[in-house]
Amino acid sequence: MGNPRTHLANSLHLHSLPLSIADMPEVLTFIESNLDRFRAELYEFLRIPSISAKTEHAEDTRRSAQWLADRMRDAGLEVEIIETPGHPVVLGEWRGAGEAAPTVLVYGHYDVQPPEPLEEWVSPPFEPNERDGRIYARGSADDKGQLYMHIKALEALLTTNGSMPVNVVVLAEGEEETGSPNLVPFVETNLDRLACDVVLISDTSMFSEELPSLGFSLRGLAYFEIHVSGARSDLHSGEYGGAITNPGNALAHILATLHDKKGRVAIEGFYDDVVEWDSKTRAQIESLPHSDEQYREELGVKKLNGEHGFSTLERLWIRPTCDVNGLLCGYTGEGAKTVLPNHAMAKVSFRLVPNQTDGKVRDLFEKHVQHVTPEGVTVQINELHGGRPWKASVEGRYFEAATQALEEAFGTTPVLMGSGGSIPIVVEFEERLSAPVMLVGFSLPGCNLHAPNEWLPVENFERGIGALALLYQKLAN
Ligand code: BES
Ligand code: MN
Ligand code: MN
């Protein structure tokens, strides 16, 4: 335990460049001597099952917002809990740097994904447990742990120095995991309050344990439920089998038409809006230390597979996909039941890249499904989530500041990386607030986001707080 702490201080001292970090030693000492408390507080946060998708957890989700608001207030922010038609937004402000100083908008989410399947968890999802230098709990990485790092960095600066060189607005929402249905209206009605020079988000991963990272992209999302219905009720599969279209067979057929043999999405027009990425970005991706063999081994698959003509990282970051996320049909209990189900359902999601939009993908998908659906069944498609993809212009003084802060805190120059996941509000922030967005993530590939046994490295929690404290100072220069 002692080791990573001294490491943080050492790396910052070793790399102290001529910057505004004259006061940093005290800030770092504060962080180091309060780490046990920071971690105990994070555990309290993680114990609240703020599962935004489940109505039975609505009160827990609210309690989580309240808890966060209290801690943000303790850190020295002015805090308001603002109601929305769904879960509330927690808004914290510190504007002591004055109007001439830059304003940073920090975004994160206090809601989490459902923890199921529970039996797969080594320790219960809402009882944080530290093993092998990892904090295991739902939300440790996505996103409570990372959001809390910002609060602690701000606390360290405000307690030690009494002020910061930048104004800070923290916006924490409780509906990210359900597609942020109320956040765009919230942003629209609070444009003045959210006005900022740069948006800072820690809700992504680093490329690897050794490499701090800045994100250059996020994929968009178009998520559908497809229902196939047939006869009035389930039927004996011997008595009726062969005379009607089985909705299960029909759905399987539909799903099988979604890809061609080269791993491409076989929907007409699907690639029309996909932009060719610039050679600089592709070279950047190419230069990252990735091993297909190691990746394959880690995932436990026989072979990696995807769109022909692209590397694994390209497939993950700059190419769109179509995937079945869930299937429901017929008899799945013990033993055999000879039955023709009268209904089949699949959850199908598309990850999108610039300049695809979920609206257009919906139209193309609907047209395709209509075209390939066998006669004799009815299909209905419902859209669950949509979100646009995003590509950063990774340049300018704020990116310089982030690069330097990460380099000093981790002792290594950060890499630029894409992300396969989606944070749909990012494009909206960029457009509506006219501010660049920076993704500075501290979880790792393999942290089991949305899966059983989610974890965050203790070391990243510690170092990340230092890195962010430094970054807040550097954003002023
Ligand atoms: N933090 C993730 C997004 C993410 C994960 C980005 C890993 C980069 C790397 C976020 O909480 C998330 O899970 N987003 C959802 C989309 C949302 C609309 C449900 C996603 O990507 O599935
Ligand atoms: Mn997240
Ligand atoms: Mn998530």
Side-chain angles (χ1 to χ4, degrees):
M1 263 311 305
N3 188 22
R5 299 184 191 180
T6 45
H7 197 135
L8 171 65
N10 287 342
S11 63
L12 283 164
H13 290 148
L14 272 173
H15 292 261
S16 50
L17 300 166
L19 298 150
S20 66
I21 59 165
D23 296 328
M24 276 305 277
E26 286 120 68
V27 175
L28 287 187
T29 307
F30 180 87
I31 294 172
E32 289 177 9
S33 50
N34 284 280
L35 267 170
D36 286 341
R37 172 173 62 83
F38 290 178
R39 198 148 27 137
E41 289 170 3
L42 174 61
Y43 284 14
E44 278 182 31
F45 196 16
L46 294 171
R47 279 191 200 102
I48 309 173
S50 49
I51 307 164
S52 53
K54 296 196 179 171
T55 1
E56 76 246 42
H57 286 286
E59 266 318 300
D60 293 321
T61 307
R62 173 166 299 273
R63 197 151 53 84
S64 177
Q66 184 64 55
W67 185 93
L68 178 64
D70 291 344
R71 296 296 83 69
M72 279 163 60
R73 218 167 270 130
D74 293 347
L77 305 177
E78 261 181 50
V79 185
E80 205 182 321
I81 297 180
I82 302 169
E83 297 301 328
T84 75
H87 301 299
V89 165
V90 182
L91 198 71
E93 294 168 277
W94 189 86
R95 298 189 187 272
E99 291 204 353
T103 299
V104 185
L105 176 67
V106 178
Y107 164 81
H109 59 96
Y110 65 81
D111 65 323
V112 300
Q113 285 275 330
E116 287 79 10
L118 290 174
E119 64 280 8
E120 301 268 325
W121 287 78
V122 173
S123 53
F126 298 106
E127 292 172 28
N129 189 263
E130 193 180 317
R131 302 190 295 278
D132 310 322
R134 300 168 169 190
I135 299 168
Y136 283 91
R138 172 57 89 233
S140 54
D142 186 11
D143 177 43
K144 285 173 170 172
Q146 299 204 62
L147 171 60
Y148 208 56
M149 286 158 63
H150 282 269
I151 310 306
K152 295 296 103 175
L154 293 169
E155 175 186 321
L157 290 172
L158 290 173
T159 309
T160 312
N161 300 339
S163 73
M164 295 185 290
V166 290
N167 302 302
V168 175
V169 179
V170 180
L171 190 180
E173 73 154 319
E175 302 189 304
E176 198 277 343
E177 299 293 10
T178 53
S180 307
N182 297 297
L183 200 55
V184 168
F186 177 87
V187 171
E188 271 306 308
T189 49
N190 290 280
L191 283 178
D192 287 345
R193 233 169 143 183
L194 301 176
C196 61
D197 298 282
V198 60
V199 182
L200 184 55
I201 301 176
S202 299
D203 191 23
T204 52
S205 304
M206 309 201 320
F207 184 74
S208 68
E209 216 171 317
E210 305 78 40
L211 289 175
S213 313
L214 278 165
F216 66 68
S217 69
L218 289 163
R219 289 196 287 193
L221 189 62
Y223 197 130
F224 307 98
E225 223 172 64
I226 161 165
H227 292 265
V228 182
S229 312
R232 195 163 287 121
S233 81
D234 286 0
L235 298 166
H236 190 289
S237 71
E239 205 178 1
Y240 297 95
I244 57 170
T245 304
N246 175 338
N249 298 16
L251 180 59
H253 171 77
I254 293 167
L255 297 177
T257 66
L258 293 175
H259 293 88
D260 69 12
K261 290 206 176 72
K262 293 188 165 166
R264 283 170 64 90
V265 176
I267 295 177
E268 210 179 303
F270 183 75
Y271 291 93
D272 286 359
D273 298 330
V274 172
V275 294
E276 278 282 316
W277 286 58
D278 56 289
S279 49
K280 196 173 148 204
T281 306
R282 288 187 75 165
Q284 174 72 42
I285 296 172
E286 187 77 22
S287 74
L288 290 167
H290 167 87
S291 152
D292 263 1
E293 181 45 28
Q294 196 187 328
Y295 189 69
R296 185 198 65 74
E297 181 78 25
E298 275 164 19
L299 296 180
V301 293
K302 281 203 265 187
K303 188 179 180 296
L304 298 179
N305 195 11
E307 187 181 355
H308 294 196
F310 294 92
S311 70
T312 299
L313 294 180
E314 288 174 337
R315 288 169 177 173
L316 291 171
W317 297 344
I318 69 171
R319 300 298 295 171
T321 61
C322 167
D323 275 295
V324 171
N325 294 156
L327 277 174
L328 190 70
C329 176
Y331 181 70
T332 57
E334 192 180 346
K337 179 187 179 193
T338 46
V339 67
L340 299 181
N342 71 335
H343 175 243
M345 188 274 281
K347 308 230 180 207
V348 176
S349 71
F350 296 83
R351 293 286 168 173
L352 312 179
V353 300
N355 294 319
Q356 293 177 297
T357 63
D358 54 299
K360 176 140 180 221
V361 166
R362 183 199 172 116
D363 292 345
L364 297 174
F365 179 53
E366 275 179 346
K367 200 178 283 174
H368 175 91
V369 170
Q370 232 126 60
H371 187 66
V372 300
T373 298
E375 285 178 299
V377 291
T378 315
V379 181
Q380 202 201 317
I381 293 174
N382 304 328
E383 185 169 357
L384 301 181
H385 288 321
R388 286 153 63 200
W390 172 77
K391 185 179 188 301
S393 62
V394 223
E395 51 193 27
R397 49 184 280 222
Y398 299 120
F399 281 97
E400 297 273 306
T403 304
Q404 286 179 18
L406 288 172
E407 174 157 354
E408 290 183 36
F410 284 81
T412 317
T413 310
V415 295
L416 285 175
M417 68 179 285
S419 283
S422 310
I423 310 176
I425 201 63
V426 164
V427 197
E428 309 293 339
F429 280 148
E430 197 171 76
E431 289 183 1
R432 289 163 203 267
L433 305 174
S434 307
V437 179
M438 293 200 298
L439 301 182
V440 183
F442 298 104
S443 76
L444 294 178
C447 275
N448 297 326
L449 314 184
H450 297 198
N453 305 307
E454 177 178 350
W455 55 277
L456 180 75
V458 177
E459 189 172 343
N460 286 16
F461 180 68
E462 301 175 350
R463 283 199 187 188
I465 296 171
L468 292 173
L470 184 53
L471 176 54
Y472 282 117
Q473 310 227 78
K474 283 178 185 270
L475 287 173
N477 294 321

